[in-house]
Amino acid sequence: MANNEKCCSTQLIDGDGAFNVAGIENFMKEVKLSECGLSYAVVSIMGPQSSGKSTLLNSLFCTNFTEMDAFKGRSQTTRGIWMARCVGIEPCTLVMDLEGTDGRERGEDDTTFEKQSALFALAISDIVLINMWCHDIGREQAANKPLLKTVFQVMMRLFSPRKTTMLFVIRDKTKTPLENLEPVLREDIQKIWDSVPKPDAHKETPLSEFFIVEVVALSSFEEKEEQFKEQVANLRQRFYHSIAPGGLAGDRRGVVPASGFSFSAQEIWKIIKENKDLDLPAHKVMVATVRCEEIANEKYDLFATNKDWCELEEAVQSGPISEFGKKLNSLLIACLSEYDAEANYFDEGVRSAKQKQLQEKLFQLVQPTFQIVLGHMRSGILDKFKEAFDKALNGGEGFSSAANKCIEIYMAQFDEGCADVVIEIANWDTSKVREKLQRDIDAHVASVRASKMSELVSSYEEKLKEALSAPVETLLDAANSDTWPSIRKLLNHETQSAVSGFCVELIRFDVDEQTKKSMIVSLDDYAKGVIEAKAREEAGRVLIRMKDRFLTLFSHDSDSMPRIWTGKEDVRAITKSARSSCLKLLSVMAVIRLEDGDDIYDIEKTLIVALADSSSSSAKDKSMTAVKPLASSTWDQVPPSKTLITPVQCKSLWRQFKMETEYCVSQAISAQEANNRSSNWLPPPWAIVALIILGFNEFMTLLRNPLYLGVIFVGYLLIKALWAQLDITGEFRNGALPGIISLSSKFVPTIMNLIRKLAEEGQGHANNDPRRSPSKNNQSAIPAGRVTSSSASSSVTSPGNGAEYTSSSKHE
């Protein structure tokens, strides 16, 4: 049971040729094969079916392969290929038990698996045991001959076969001494070798170039068991340290490291199954490849976790480090030196290739840190450059000289810093980082130049805007024949002044002539744009400007004093003059005239002919024909870009202007008429004289009869009360006829209301003191009559607005 736990036998390939991947992986973990490195050996056994192969292996290596039960008859026991670990043998030795040949289960013609398993065993085994019966030696039709032919044939399919130890185990040895059996066996082996077809390159190659032939004989297991076990124990001793120099194992040039055994076995079996020639690399190269790869990975991992490297990498994140290149270079050299020391005895080509790969991996690991250091240095130099450059500009130094001086200084500082950062063993090129720094500096210089020039341009544009906007607005507000020539004169003067100062400022920026011209043209265009924008803004308010001008001219005289309409003014002439001035304003605002040749646009004439008032029929006919140009959306010979107000818009604006100013004219006419009426309120003198002469007798009658005066006074009070109640002045404000109609409808209700008030007041006084004596009542009759008359004149409620006007008498 102890052996079962140690040998860990598993089926490597089943009878159908399927490779047990999971089984071999588990097997390698159980026996810890990966830890063996190159210190392991592989032994395999071949032989006829039921020849005692499994029994021999179990006895020789303490394995637990299944053995044939002789009592059940002779039949196939091992199917496929099984593998186990030899117990108690150092170094670690693996043994493979192959399916027996010449078995009736597979048939006479099915030898495919035999050849495949034989080739597989030769490819991965250091020692191959050939199990054969003693009585087959010297026989022509011996059972072992097909097996040997198979072995020799498949050997030819190996591209670079290694020298394998072939140990012939003669079973059930007879009395014939081994010294006599061995020559016969070797002769039979040589005959078989000679009879096997070989490639041209190996036709004359002796057997000894491919195999180390060893012969050993064992007694019968069944008849001489004790002797058999003793001989097996002796044979077992030969497998101790089999891979040492002079050991039983053959050529070890192509041995695969233990960690790659599983993968190697899988690939070999895959190629064999595909019936291809097994083109194995040279074992020395394979071992070197695997082992150097392991050493390189180990050194890489050690470097990645190296304390000095980790501290250096962490410190770099916060900023540049002094002597960074020197420190990192020493770490890299130390790592590569350790690799060379451990891989010194492997194939030089493989060792150098793996060293190169290790170096590349190390460079890939440290390059980001190297780039970070360069980045810190680049950003630091760039910040210093920006600070120095801004300081130089603020100090009044010329832009170009300051830029060139700072670039020279700080690029030299970068070159000095690169010498401290560069890793000698890597020899990385820092020119790209230098070029990037140069581009960043140039970009900053260009940005500052653009910013400064933009500020300069903006300042001069602002000056132009301030110098042009208000004067242009004033000139357009006072539009006349000299408006646009004055604007052009103003434009030329201000533009020349701005360009002169602008050119002086540009000298500091070392601007080429073409750019200078372009910027001057742009500044000139901006000045024109300011005027055009202001002109379009004013054109949008032209109707308001026209109405304001009209009201100013119409409502004020030549001395700018408010006009009083006394009836002597010629309203028609004043209106025509004011409208002509407004038409002049409209003609000035209709088209932009910034060029000297723009004065040919006679917009005013077209508008006067089309819109100005004319009393003669011939002028009206002419006006009707001249209105046609105003039906267009463009002026004749005027580009659309210079048009502010189209003819159609002019016509619409003029119509709206006349409609909105007609009220002012009608008000002026009404004021004149009202003034005329107010100045004639007295009757004519002859009427006054006639009234005096004809009314003299009536006047004398009144003087002789004072009672009439009292009646007239009472009538006056009644009329006054009616005047206040009916609001006669307000009713006649809207005209005589509307006033008469309104008063006729209100007269009777007002009289009735007045009488009712008088009656109510009289009744009220009679009820206030009914116990008074008659004498007192008589005494108060007269005052009461006075109060009543007074109340009749002053306590009147208007039926129209409900307001009540009251006044107290002296008696109260």
Side-chain angles (χ1 to χ4, degrees):
M1 185 62 66
N3 287 349
N4 291 345
E5 294 177 356
K6 295 181 180 179
C7 69
C8 306
S9 63
T10 185
Q11 187 175 35
L12 186 62
I13 300 172
D14 63 18
D16 296 326
F19 196 94
N20 185 8
V21 179
I24 191 172
E25 293 292 342
N26 186 57
F27 173 80
M28 290 183 64
K29 291 179 182 178
E30 290 183 4
V31 302
K32 299 180 181 180
L33 184 62
S34 299
E35 300 176 3
C36 298
L38 300 177
S39 298
Y40 75 100
V42 180
V43 179
S44 60
I45 188 169
M46 303 180 189
Q49 181 176 303
S50 303
S51 60
K53 298 186 299 299
S54 300
T55 303
L56 174 61
L57 293 179
N58 291 339
S59 301
L60 184 60
F61 300 117
C62 301
T63 55
N64 61 352
F65 294 122
T66 304
E67 300 179 9
M68 184 187 72
D69 189 353
F71 295 100
K72 293 183 179 181
R74 306 183 68 83
S75 62
Q76 187 180 51
T77 304
T78 302
R79 184 168 175 81
I81 300 175
W82 288 72
M83 176 176 281
R85 176 180 180 176
C86 300
V87 179
I89 294 181
E90 292 295 335
C92 178
T93 303
L94 308 180
V95 60
M96 293 193 302
D97 187 7
L98 275 63
E99 180 180 318
T101 61
D102 196 21
R104 62 182 178 84
E105 285 78 4
R106 289 195 180 269
E108 182 179 349
D109 299 325
D110 189 5
T111 59
T112 302
F113 187 79
E114 293 180 8
K115 294 180 179 180
Q116 291 176 346
S117 59
L119 182 56
F120 179 74
L122 289 174
I124 68 173
S125 299
D126 299 298
I127 304 167
V128 178
L129 302 180
I130 306 295
N131 195 45
M132 61 182 301
W133 299 111
C134 181
H135 54 74
D136 283 339
I137 297 175
R139 295 173 57 183
E140 187 64 27
Q141 301 297 326
N144 63 325
K145 283 192 175 182
L147 174 61
L148 290 176
K149 286 184 179 180
T150 300
V151 171
F152 294 154
Q153 286 173 357
V154 299
M155 194 67 178
M156 295 297 103
R157 293 179 60 185
L158 296 177
F159 178 74
S160 56
R162 61 178 176 172
K163 202 169 185 179
T164 305
T165 298
M166 188 180 297
L167 179 59
F168 287 85
V169 180
I170 302 173
R171 304 292 298 276
D172 295 353
K173 177 180 173 296
T174 60
K175 294 180 179 179
T176 306
L178 180 61
E179 293 79 7
N180 297 334
L181 293 175
E182 184 174 349
V184 177
L185 179 58
R186 288 184 179 273
E187 184 179 353
D188 291 343
I189 293 172
Q190 186 63 46
K191 289 180 180 180
I192 296 172
W193 172 256
D194 294 338
S195 64
V196 172
K198 305 177 189 64
D200 293 339
H202 296 293
K203 279 187 176 181
E204 303 299 329
T205 304
L207 178 64
S208 58
E209 290 291 326
F210 292 96
F211 295 101
I212 299 174
V213 179
E214 297 283 345
V215 181
V216 65
L218 298 176
S219 300
S220 173
F221 174 72
E222 295 178 353
E223 297 176 359
K224 301 177 181 180
E225 184 175 353
E226 293 300 326
Q227 189 176 356
F228 173 83
K229 291 181 178 181
E230 182 181 352
Q231 293 170 348
V232 168
N234 294 330
L235 178 61
R236 177 183 173 89
Q237 295 300 318
R238 299 186 62 182
F239 286 92
Y240 284 94
H241 305 293
S242 59
I243 63 174
L248 187 60
D251 185 4
R252 295 274 298 170
R253 290 176 301 174
V255 68
V256 176
S259 58
F261 177 78
S262 174
F263 175 76
S264 176
Q266 293 177 50
E267 291 299 311
I268 290 173
W269 181 249
K270 179 180 177 182
I271 295 173
I272 292 172
K273 287 287 290 181
E274 292 174 356
N275 200 26
K276 297 179 180 178
D277 289 343
L278 196 57
D279 190 3
L280 297 176
H283 290 290
K284 181 180 179 181
V285 175
M286 181 183 293
V287 172
T289 301
V290 175
R291 186 56 188 149
C292 290
E293 182 77 25
E294 291 177 351
I295 296 172
N297 291 337
E298 179 184 352
K299 297 309 172 185
Y300 177 83
D301 294 338
L302 289 174
F303 181 88
T305 56
N306 183 277
K307 181 180 178 181
D308 294 338
W309 157 245
C310 292
E311 291 177 352
L312 190 64
E313 184 181 25
E314 183 178 357
V316 162
Q317 305 301 322
S318 58
I321 298 176
S322 177
E323 296 184 344
F324 170 82
K326 183 178 180 181
K327 294 177 181 178
L328 186 54
N329 192 70
S330 63
L331 291 175
L332 291 172
I333 291 176
C335 179
L336 294 174
S337 298
E338 291 176 3
Y339 167 84
D340 289 336
E342 291 193 27
N344 186 45
Y345 298 103
F346 292 99
D347 181 79
E348 182 179 356
V350 176
R351 184 180 72 244
S352 299
K354 294 302 177 182
Q355 185 198 45
K356 185 177 181 181
Q357 292 179 9
L358 172 61
Q359 183 173 290
E360 290 176 355
K361 287 178 66 177
L362 291 173
F363 287 170
Q364 290 176 3
L365 177 65
V366 303
Q367 190 172 34
T369 305
F370 174 74
Q371 293 297 333
I372 291 174
V373 174
L374 284 179
H376 285 317
M377 188 169 62
R378 182 187 61 80
S379 60
I381 294 293
L382 182 61
D383 292 340
K384 291 179 181 178
F385 169 82
K386 291 179 179 179
E387 183 179 353
F389 185 49
D390 292 342
K391 186 176 181 181
L393 291 178
N394 294 333
E397 188 174 351
F399 187 90
S400 297
S401 61
N404 294 333
K405 181 180 178 181
C406 290
I407 289 174
E408 183 179 356
I409 292 173
Y410 288 99
M411 289 305 294
Q413 285 189 14
F414 179 79
D415 294 336
E416 292 175 2
C418 283
D420 183 60
V421 171
V422 168
I423 302 170
E424 183 179 353
I425 189 174
N427 194 26
W428 282 324
D429 186 12
T430 60
S431 61
K432 291 185 178 180
V433 181
R434 191 182 193 280
E435 291 172 1
K436 189 176 189 321
L437 175 61
Q438 184 70 58
R439 290 195 301 269
D440 291 342
I441 290 176
D442 293 342
H444 178 71
V445 171
S447 175
V448 173
R449 178 187 282 110
S451 176
K452 296 290 184 182
M453 292 179 67
S454 177
E455 292 176 3
L456 181 65
V457 171
S458 297
S459 65
Y460 275 91
E461 287 180 350
E462 190 63 29
K463 290 179 182 178
L464 280 174
K465 188 174 182 179
E466 292 178 0
L468 294 174
S469 294
V472 169
E473 183 176 355
T474 303
L475 289 172
L476 291 175
D477 186 31
N480 53 48
S481 300
D482 294 330
T483 296
W484 285 108
S486 300
I487 290 176
R488 289 197 296 270
K489 184 177 179 181
L490 175 67
L491 172 64
N492 292 334
H493 176 267
E494 295 297 337
T495 302
Q496 289 177 2
S497 176
V499 167
S500 176
F502 185 68
C503 291
V504 173
E505 294 289 343
L506 283 180
I507 296 175
R508 297 189 300 113
F509 295 97
D510 194 20
V511 179
D512 59 90
E513 194 65 26
Q514 184 176 358
T515 304
K516 181 179 178 181
K517 290 181 180 178
S518 175
M519 297 181 75
I520 291 174
V521 171
S522 177
L523 194 63
D524 185 57
D525 292 341
Y526 177 81
K528 292 181 180 179
V530 170
I531 295 177
E532 289 184 7
K534 180 56 67 175
R536 294 187 185 278
E537 180 183 345
E538 293 300 316
R541 299 185 299 192
V542 66
L543 182 60
I544 298 174
R545 297 290 189 190
M546 290 169 64
K547 290 192 293 183
D548 291 344
R549 175 174 287 197
F550 179 82
L551 291 176
T552 301
L553 296 176
F554 187 75
S555 302
H556 295 77
D557 57 17
S558 59
D559 296 328
S560 299
M561 297 297 293
R563 197 185 299 275
I564 299 175
W565 303 101
T566 62
K568 300 177 182 180
E569 294 83 3
D570 188 351
V571 176
R572 180 179 296 276
I574 294 172
T575 302
K576 185 174 182 180
S577 175
R579 286 181 175 173
S580 297
S581 180
C582 293
L583 196 64
K584 178 69 175 178
L585 172 63
L586 182 61
S587 66
V588 170
M589 296 299 300
V591 176
I592 296 174
R593 303 175 179 88
L594 291 179
E595 305 295 337
D596 293 334
D598 293 343
D599 290 335
I600 63 173
Y601 307 142
D602 198 357
I603 306 299
E604 183 181 5
K605 181 178 180 181
T606 303
L607 293 177
I608 290 175
V609 173
L611 301 176
D613 295 331
S614 178
S615 59
S616 64
S617 60
S618 60
K620 290 181 180 178
D621 295 339
K622 184 178 180 181
S623 177
M624 291 297 292
T625 58
V627 170
K628 293 182 180 179
L630 298 185
S632 173
S633 60
T634 57
W635 297 103
D636 186 25
Q637 298 181 348
V638 179
S641 60
K642 295 184 178 182
T643 301
L644 296 176
I645 307 174
T646 63
V648 174
Q649 291 173 337
C650 285
K651 184 178 179 181
S652 175
L653 288 170
W654 186 255
R655 185 185 299 113
Q656 186 175 357
F657 164 74
K658 290 183 68 177
M659 289 175 60
E660 295 183 8
T661 55
E662 281 178 356
Y663 179 73
C664 295
V665 178
S666 63
Q667 285 292 97
I669 295 173
S670 298
Q672 281 187 332
E673 293 176 353
N675 186 69
N676 291 335
R677 287 195 301 268
S678 64
S679 63
N680 296 328
W681 64 276
L682 292 174
W686 61 268
I688 296 173
V689 173
L691 286 174
I692 294 174
I693 296 173
L694 295 176
F696 180 77
N697 293 334
E698 287 76 4
F699 179 71
M700 294 304 294
T701 302
L702 291 174
L703 292 176
R704 293 188 190 103
N705 299 292
L707 183 61
Y708 288 156
L709 291 176
V711 173
I712 291 172
F713 179 71
V714 171
Y716 168 74
L717 292 178
L718 290 173
I719 292 171
K720 183 179 179 182
L722 287 172
W723 186 277
Q725 285 282 19
L726 293 175
D727 190 20
I728 294 175
T729 303
E731 294 294 344
F732 280 95
R733 188 179 296 118
N734 296 325
L737 183 60
I740 293 172
I741 295 173
S742 177
L743 290 175
S744 64
S745 62
K746 295 166 57 178
F747 183 76
V748 175
T750 303
I751 294 294
M752 297 301 293
N753 186 42
L754 184 62
I755 294 173
R756 186 174 65 254
K757 288 285 185 181
L758 291 174
E760 290 176 354
E761 289 186 5
Q763 185 68 26
H765 286 289
N767 294 333
N768 283 337
D769 193 5
R771 293 175 296 176
R772 284 184 180 181
S773 63
S775 59
K776 289 181 179 181
N777 290 338
N778 292 335
Q779 290 176 1
S780 62
I782 294 174
R786 291 177 182 174
V787 171
T788 302
S789 64
S790 176
S791 299
S793 65
S794 61
S795 298
V796 181
T797 301
S798 174
N801 51 23
E804 186 177 311
Y805 303 94
T806 60
S807 63
S808 301
S809 66
K810 293 178 181 180
H811 204 70
E812 292 174 338

